[in-house]
Coordinates of all heavy atoms in Angstrom, one line a residue:
A1 N 3.8 -5.4 6.2 CA 5.0 -4.9 6.7 C 4.8 -3.9 7.8 O 5.5 -3.8 8.8 CB 5.9 -4.2 5.6
A2 N 3.7 -3.1 7.6 CA 3.4 -2.1 8.7 C 3.2 -2.7 10.0 O 3.6 -2.1 11.0 CB 2.2 -1.3 8.2
R3 N 2.5 -3.8 10.0 CA 2.3 -4.5 11.3 C 3.5 -4.9 12.1 O 3.6 -5.0 13.3 CB 1.3 -5.7 11.1 CG 0.0 -5.3 10.6 CD -0.9 -6.6 10.3 NE -2.2 -6.2 9.9 CZ -3.3 -6.1 10.7 NH1 -3.1 -6.3 12.0 NH2 -4.4 -5.8 10.2
L4 N 4.6 -5.1 11.3 CA 5.9 -5.6 11.9 C 6.6 -4.4 12.6 O 7.5 -4.6 13.4 CB 6.8 -6.2 10.8 CG 6.2 -7.4 10.1 CD1 7.2 -7.8 9.0 CD2 5.9 -8.5 11.0
F5 N 6.2 -3.2 12.2 CA 7.0 -2.0 12.7 C 6.0 -1.1 13.6 O 6.3 0.1 13.7 CB 7.6 -1.2 11.6 CG 8.7 -2.0 10.9 CD1 8.4 -2.8 9.8 CD2 10.0 -1.9 11.4 CE1 9.5 -3.5 9.1 CE2 11.0 -2.6 10.7 CZ 10.7 -3.4 9.6
Q6 N 5.0 -1.7 14.2 CA 4.1 -1.0 15.0 C 4.9 -0.3 16.1 O 5.7 -0.8 16.8 CB 3.1 -1.9 15.7 CG 2.1 -1.1 16.5 CD 1.1 -2.1 17.2 OE1 1.3 -3.2 17.3 NE2 -0.1 -1.5 17.6
G7 N 4.6 1.0 16.3 CA 5.3 1.8 17.3 C 6.7 2.3 16.9 O 7.3 3.1 17.7
K8 N 7.2 1.9 15.8 CA 8.5 2.3 15.3 C 8.4 3.2 14.1 O 9.2 4.1 13.9 CB 9.4 1.1 15.0 CG 9.6 0.2 16.2 CD 10.4 -1.0 15.8 CE 10.7 -1.9 17.0 NZ 11.5 -3.1 16.6
I9 N 7.6 2.8 13.1 CA 7.4 3.5 11.9 C 6.0 3.7 11.5 O 5.2 2.7 11.6 CB 8.2 2.8 10.7 CG1 9.7 2.6 11.1 CG2 8.0 3.5 9.4 CD1 10.5 1.9 10.0
L10 N 5.6 4.8 11.0 CA 4.2 5.0 10.5 C 4.3 4.8 9.0 O 5.2 5.4 8.3 CB 3.7 6.4 10.8 CG 3.5 6.8 12.2 CD1 3.0 8.2 12.4 CD2 2.4 5.8 12.9
F11 N 3.4 4.0 8.4 CA 3.4 3.7 7.0 C 2.4 4.6 6.3 O 1.2 4.7 6.7 CB 3.1 2.3 6.8 CG 4.3 1.3 7.0 CD1 5.0 1.3 8.2 CD2 4.7 0.5 6.0 CE1 6.1 0.4 8.4 CE2 5.8 -0.4 6.1 CZ 6.5 -0.4 7.3
I12 N 2.8 5.3 5.3 CA 2.0 6.3 4.6 C 1.9 5.9 3.1 O 2.9 5.5 2.5 CB 2.6 7.7 4.7 CG1 2.8 8.0 6.2 CG2 1.8 8.7 4.0 CD1 3.7 9.2 6.5
L13 N 0.8 6.1 2.5 CA 0.6 5.9 1.1 C 0.5 7.3 0.4 O -0.3 8.1 0.8 CB -0.7 5.1 0.8 CG -1.2 5.1 -0.7 CD1 -0.1 4.3 -1.5 CD2 -2.5 4.5 -0.8
V14 N 1.3 7.5 -0.6 CA 1.2 8.7 -1.4 C 0.8 8.4 -2.9 O 1.6 7.7 -3.6 CB 2.5 9.5 -1.4 CG1 2.3 10.8 -2.2 CG2 3.0 9.8 0.0
D15 N -0.4 8.7 -3.3 CA -0.9 8.4 -4.6 C -0.2 9.3 -5.6 O -0.5 10.5 -5.6 CB -2.4 8.5 -4.6 CG -3.0 8.1 -6.0 OD1 -2.3 7.6 -6.8 OD2 -4.2 8.4 -6.2
S16 N 0.6 8.7 -6.4 CA 1.4 9.5 -7.4 C 0.4 10.2 -8.5 O 0.8 11.1 -9.2 CB 2.4 8.7 -8.1 OG 1.8 7.6 -8.8
H17 N -0.8 9.6 -8.6 CA -1.7 10.1 -9.6 C -2.5 11.3 -9.1 O -3.2 12.0 -9.9 CB -2.6 8.9 -10.1 CG -3.4 9.2 -11.2 ND1 -2.9 9.4 -12.5 CD2 -4.8 9.4 -11.4 CE1 -3.8 9.6 -13.4 NE2 -5.0 9.7 -12.8
A18 N -2.5 11.5 -7.7 CA -3.4 12.5 -7.1 C -2.8 13.9 -7.4 O -1.6 14.1 -7.4 CB -3.5 12.3 -5.7
K19 N -3.6 14.9 -7.6 CA -3.2 16.2 -7.9 C -2.4 16.8 -6.7 O -2.8 16.7 -5.6 CB -4.5 17.1 -8.1 CG -4.1 18.5 -8.5 CD -5.4 19.3 -8.7 CE -5.1 20.8 -9.1 NZ -6.3 21.6 -9.3
G20 N -1.3 17.3 -7.1 CA -0.4 18.0 -6.0 C 0.6 17.1 -5.4 O 1.6 17.6 -4.9
N21 N 0.5 15.7 -5.5 CA 1.4 14.8 -4.9 C 2.7 14.7 -5.6 O 3.7 14.2 -5.1 CB 0.8 13.4 -4.7 CG -0.2 13.4 -3.6 OD1 -0.3 14.4 -2.8 ND2 -0.9 12.3 -3.4
D22 N 2.8 15.2 -6.9 CA 4.0 15.3 -7.6 C 5.0 16.2 -6.9 O 6.2 16.0 -6.9 CB 3.8 15.7 -9.0 CG 3.1 17.0 -9.2 OD1 2.4 17.4 -8.2 OD2 3.3 17.7 -10.2
R23 N 4.5 17.2 -6.2 CA 5.4 18.1 -5.4 C 6.0 17.4 -4.2 O 7.1 17.7 -3.8 CB 4.5 19.3 -4.9 CG 4.0 20.2 -6.1 CD 3.1 21.3 -5.6 NE 3.8 22.2 -4.7 CZ 3.2 23.1 -4.0 NH1 1.9 23.2 -4.0 NH2 3.9 23.9 -3.2
V24 N 5.2 16.5 -3.6 CA 5.8 15.7 -2.5 C 6.9 14.8 -3.0 O 7.9 14.7 -2.4 CB 4.7 14.8 -1.8 CG1 5.3 14.1 -0.7 CG2 3.5 15.7 -1.4
M25 N 6.7 14.2 -4.2 CA 7.7 13.4 -4.8 C 9.0 14.1 -5.1 O 10.1 13.6 -4.9 CB 7.2 12.8 -6.1 CG 6.1 11.7 -6.0 SD 5.3 11.3 -7.6 CE 6.8 11.0 -8.6
S26 N 8.8 15.4 -5.5 CA 10.0 16.2 -5.8 C 10.9 16.4 -4.6 O 12.1 16.6 -4.8 CB 9.5 17.5 -6.4 OG 9.0 18.4 -5.5
Y27 N 10.3 16.5 -3.4 CA 11.2 16.7 -2.2 C 12.1 15.5 -2.0 O 13.1 15.6 -1.3 CB 10.3 16.9 -1.0 CG 9.7 18.3 -1.0 CD1 8.4 18.5 -1.2 CD2 10.5 19.4 -0.8 CE1 7.8 19.8 -1.2 CE2 10.0 20.7 -0.8 CZ 8.6 20.9 -1.0 OH 8.1 22.1 -1.0
F28 N 11.7 14.3 -2.5 CA 12.6 13.2 -2.4 C 13.3 12.8 -3.7 O 13.9 11.8 -3.9 CB 11.7 12.0 -1.9 CG 11.2 12.1 -0.5 CD1 9.9 12.6 -0.3 CD2 12.0 11.8 0.6 CE1 9.4 12.7 1.0 CE2 11.5 12.0 1.9 CZ 10.2 12.4 2.0
H29 N 13.3 13.8 -4.6 CA 14.0 13.6 -5.9 C 13.5 12.4 -6.7 O 14.3 11.7 -7.3 CB 15.5 13.6 -5.7 CG 16.1 14.8 -5.1 ND1 16.3 16.0 -5.9 CD2 16.5 15.1 -3.9 CE1 16.8 16.9 -5.1 NE2 17.0 16.4 -3.9
L30 N 12.2 12.1 -6.6 CA 11.7 11.0 -7.3 C 10.9 11.4 -8.5 O 10.3 12.4 -8.6 CB 10.7 10.2 -6.4 CG 11.4 9.3 -5.3 CD1 10.3 8.9 -4.3 CD2 12.1 8.1 -5.9
K31 N 11.0 10.6 -9.6 CA 10.2 10.8 -10.8 C 9.3 9.6 -10.9 O 9.5 8.5 -10.4 CB 11.2 10.8 -12.0 CG 12.2 11.9 -11.9 CD 13.2 11.9 -13.1 CE 14.2 13.0 -13.1 NZ 15.2 12.9 -14.2
K32 N 8.2 9.8 -11.7 CA 7.2 8.8 -11.9 C 7.8 7.5 -12.5 O 7.3 6.4 -12.3 CB 6.0 9.3 -12.7 CG 5.1 10.3 -11.9 CD 3.8 10.6 -12.6 CE 3.0 11.5 -11.8 NZ 1.7 11.8 -12.5
S33 N 8.8 7.7 -13.3 CA 9.5 6.6 -14.0 C 10.2 5.7 -13.0 O 10.5 4.5 -13.3 CB 10.5 7.0 -15.0 OG 11.5 7.8 -14.4
Q34 N 10.4 6.2 -11.7 CA 11.1 5.4 -10.7 C 10.1 4.7 -9.8 O 10.6 3.9 -8.9 CB 12.0 6.3 -9.9 CG 13.1 7.0 -10.6 CD 13.9 8.0 -9.7 OE1 13.4 9.0 -9.4 NE2 15.1 7.6 -9.4
L35 N 8.9 4.9 -10.0 CA 7.9 4.3 -9.1 C 7.5 2.9 -9.4 O 7.6 2.5 -10.6 CB 6.6 5.2 -9.0 CG 6.9 6.6 -8.7 CD1 5.5 7.4 -8.6 CD2 7.7 6.8 -7.4
P36 N 7.1 2.1 -8.4 CA 6.9 2.4 -7.0 C 8.2 2.6 -6.3 O 9.2 2.0 -6.7 CB 6.1 1.2 -6.5 CG 6.5 0.1 -7.3 CD 6.7 0.7 -8.7
A37 N 8.2 3.4 -5.3 CA 9.4 3.7 -4.5 C 8.9 4.0 -3.1 O 7.8 4.4 -2.8 CB 10.2 4.9 -5.1
V38 N 9.9 3.8 -2.1 CA 9.6 4.2 -0.7 C 10.6 5.1 -0.3 O 11.8 5.2 -0.7 CB 9.6 2.9 0.2 CG1 8.4 2.1 -0.1 CG2 10.9 2.1 0.0
A39 N 10.2 6.0 0.7 CA 11.1 7.0 1.3 C 10.9 7.0 2.8 O 9.8 7.1 3.3 CB 10.8 8.4 0.7
L40 N 12.0 7.0 3.5 CA 12.0 7.1 5.0 C 12.3 8.5 5.4 O 13.2 9.1 4.8 CB 12.9 6.1 5.6 CG 12.3 4.6 5.8 CD1 13.5 3.6 6.0 CD2 11.4 4.6 7.0
Y41 N 11.6 8.9 6.4 CA 11.8 10.3 6.9 C 11.8 10.3 8.4 O 10.8 9.8 9.0 CB 10.8 11.2 6.3 CG 10.9 12.7 6.8 CD1 11.7 13.5 6.1 CD2 10.2 13.2 7.8 CE1 11.9 14.9 6.4 CE2 10.3 14.5 8.2 CZ 11.2 15.3 7.5 OH 11.3 16.6 7.9
H42 N 12.8 10.8 9.1 CA 12.9 10.9 10.5 C 12.7 12.3 10.9 O 13.6 13.2 10.7 CB 14.3 10.3 11.0 CG 14.3 10.1 12.4 ND1 15.3 10.8 13.2 CD2 13.6 9.4 13.3 CE1 15.1 10.5 14.5 NE2 14.1 9.6 14.6
T43 N 11.7 12.6 11.6 CA 11.3 14.0 11.9 C 12.3 14.8 12.8 O 12.5 16.0 12.5 CB 9.9 14.2 12.4 OG1 9.8 13.4 13.6 CG2 8.9 13.6 11.4
P44 N 12.9 14.2 13.9 CA 13.7 15.0 14.8 C 14.9 15.6 14.1 O 15.3 16.7 14.3 CB 14.1 14.0 15.9 CG 13.0 13.0 15.9 CD 12.6 12.9 14.4
D45 N 15.6 14.8 13.3 CA 16.9 15.3 12.7 C 16.7 15.4 11.2 O 17.7 15.7 10.5 CB 18.1 14.4 13.0 CG 17.8 12.9 12.6 OD1 16.8 12.7 11.8 OD2 18.6 12.0 12.9

């Protein structure tokens, strides 16, 4: 999918098992029971 959106969207992997990444999940109101999940973020607005 990432190749289809070259120059439009950067694709990022967040390992939910890695230490500290649960805090990143919390910013998107995600719980481990809801994973896998994707979140889009637009930096200017």
Side-chain angles (χ1 to χ4, degrees):
R3 293 175 180 270
L4 302 177
F5 292 92
Q6 182 184 20
K8 298 179 181 179
I9 300 175
L10 294 180
F11 280 57
I12 305 164
L13 168 67
V14 182
D15 182 8
S16 61
H17 193 67
K19 183 178 179 180
N21 282 354
D22 55 335
R23 296 175 62 191
V24 183
M25 291 169 51
S26 71
Y27 284 111
F28 293 96
H29 297 286
L30 283 169
K31 300 177 181 178
K32 287 190 176 181
S33 60
Q34 295 176 289
L35 305 187
V38 287
L40 274 162
Y41 180 84
H42 188 243
T43 58
D45 59 10

